[in-house]
Amino acid sequence: MKYKLKSIINKCFNIVTLGIFFFLVIAFVLIFTTIRNNRLASVSSDEAVHSISEFYLEELGERRSLAISSHFDQMAQNLDRVFDIAAERDLRTQEDLRAYLETVRTAYGYEKMAAVDENGLIYTEHSTISGVSRYGFVSEEIDEPAVYTTNLYGGSKQLILAVPLPMIPVGDIKLKLTFVQIDLAQMLSEIVEHTEGNETVNCVYYNNGENITEFDDDYEDDDAGQNDAAGKSSRDDGSSDDVQNDEYPENILEELKDAEFTDQHTYNELNSDFMAGRAGFVSYKNDGVVNYMYYTPVRDTNWMFTVTIRESSISNNISGIRDSMLERGAWQIVITVAVMLIAFTLFLLYTRRMQNAEKRHLLSLSQTDAMTKLYNRGGGEKAIRAAIGSGAEGLFFLLDADKFKSINDNYGHDVGDQVIISIADAIRNSFRDGDILMRLGGDEFAIYAPGVCDMEAAKRVVRRFFMAIDAIDIPSLGDRKVCVSLGAAFWTTDESLSFDELYKRADTKLYDSKAVEGNQVTFY
């Protein structure tokens, strides 16, 4: 006992020591990392500005480029659905089609919408026009949604999303295509998140650097006039401005050809990435101002989406960020130590709980028969001795299977194991949860049922048990039934028999029962 106690104490001491060691190591690493990060934040402001800008702009650029593609995908899906509905409605005349186009346009908030028949005629909510000269794509075979930019009237541009249709009949015509005009500037304003004080500039260009975001106002306005080739772009404050300054150049590649690039970035790198449709990041100085720009391709187009921010927009906040980082670092050390103390305490409690659970599990295994999951002989006898030692009167049974050896000899040990397990299940299903059930070994079992103290109650228990035995059905035995013999003896406080004496009484009556074939019980 002293040896076991000493072993447990040593094990707990080792666990505590190991836990303290890991706690100190982790705390040291966290404190060292926090101090080092704070020092880097104080010393490397320029590097921090560059790193923050690149990370921030890349995240914005990729997310918003994806949002543009997703917006186009959603619009294409919407058009597919509404023309599936149109096919079901069986539109019969061009007037029906125009009314339907007006309904859809209004419902989805499209500025302009049209459908194209198999002859290339374009139908809007107002009229029918021949649009091949304006919209060359109507004569193309389009198999999937596509985005086009059409140039009208001296440089004015329109952005068009075209979606193929499965030749939907409308009277004597068939619709092969639908398209809508997209206001990219408005779409960017909806996609870009409004952040107070944020000065990023968002713009869309062709891969040759030309600004793309300016559109004609009307499909059918023949007096659109001459427009500048300048575009519209979106700021993070949700506004949309005419491109009349360096922030929104007509051609970004031309604009930056003479710019001074910094941090080993080059104009050739920028130009090559645009032409090849690759994402990238550059920093450059224009009119004495350092700018950071991230650019990324828009899926399924030849466009590049750019996000630009001035260095001053970030550097003005660096000092505040640095001070905030220092303060957070100090709090991080305090919180880290507190959390580690709590975690270590919980670890000790959990370890102790796991040790107790392991002890209970090992004790259960040591007292349980592996095949039947009943008590084994040692565990069952211990439980019965404790019960009668506490004065719990009851009935003790001994039982074994009739002619079990012949079952093993004639049918094999696998079938014999099935018989043992079936008898154990019958015992478990016939007796109460508080009864002590054990397998002595082989085909022998013992049961102690506290509270069963008279013959009438005993016979009810035996009758229920024999019914469970009769219900055993093992296909491998064929017509042969499983039968058992029981010997029973009562234990009362009047006699105060020992367990060994009680066992002998039941064992004597078991032999009397085995002299008669079939399920038999003999009481002492």
Side-chain angles (χ1 to χ4, degrees), residues 452-478:
V452 181
C453 301
D454 59 79
M455 188 60 69
E456 183 178 351
K459 289 181 177 179
R460 286 199 301 270
V461 171
V462 172
R463 191 162 47 246
R464 182 168 64 244
F465 175 59
F466 282 159
M467 290 176 62
I469 293 295
D470 286 337
I472 293 175
D473 181 18
I474 301 176
S476 301
L477 290 177

Side-chain angles (χ1 to χ4, degrees), residues 29-45 48 321-326 328-330 332-333:
V29 170
L30 289 175
I31 292 172
F32 174 78
T33 303
T34 300
I35 294 174
R36 181 175 180 275
N37 288 340
N38 289 341
R39 183 175 299 172
L40 289 175
S42 300
V43 174
S44 306
S45 296
I321 293 174
R322 184 175 59 243
D323 294 340
S324 178
M325 288 177 65
L326 292 171
R328 286 198 301 269
Q332 181 179 349
I333 294 174

Side-chain angles (χ1 to χ4, degrees), residues 384 387-388 392-397 434-436 446-450 491 502:
I384 295 174
I388 63 178
E393 296 181 338
L395 181 60
F396 179 70
F397 292 98
D435 295 338
I436 301 169
I447 304 156
Y448 187 69
W491 185 89
L502 180 65

Side-chain angles (χ1 to χ4, degrees), residues 51-71:
S51 299
I52 292 171
S53 299
E54 184 170 1
F55 174 80
Y56 175 62
L57 294 183
E58 179 177 355
E59 189 275 335
L60 285 181
E62 293 297 337
R63 177 155 48 89
R64 292 171 182 175
S65 173
L66 178 61
I68 293 173
S69 300
S70 300
H71 191 82

Side-chain angles (χ1 to χ4, degrees), residues 18 33 59 112 138 140 150 288 388 478:
L18 184 64
T33 303
E59 189 275 335
K112 297 298 177 184
V138 301
E140 299 178 7
T150 61
I388 63 178

Side-chain angles (χ1 to χ4, degrees), residues 298-361:
V298 179
R299 177 169 51 86
D300 297 330
T301 69
N302 61 341
W303 304 350
M304 298 294 285
F305 179 82
T306 67
V307 186
T308 307
I309 191 170
R310 291 182 177 180
E311 181 186 52
S312 57
S313 299
I314 296 179
S315 60
N316 289 340
N317 297 316
I318 286 295
S319 58
I321 293 174
R322 184 175 59 243
D323 294 340
S324 178
M325 288 177 65
L326 292 171
E327 182 179 351
R328 286 198 301 269
W331 277 109
Q332 181 179 349
I333 294 174
V334 174
I335 294 172
T336 298
V337 173
V339 169
M340 290 302 298
L341 286 173
I342 295 173
F344 182 64
T345 302
L346 294 176
F347 169 75
L348 289 180
L349 295 175
Y350 176 76
T351 301
R352 181 174 298 177
R353 181 178 179 183
M354 291 299 295
Q355 288 178 334
N356 292 335
E358 182 68 16
K359 290 178 182 178
R360 290 193 298 271
H361 178 65

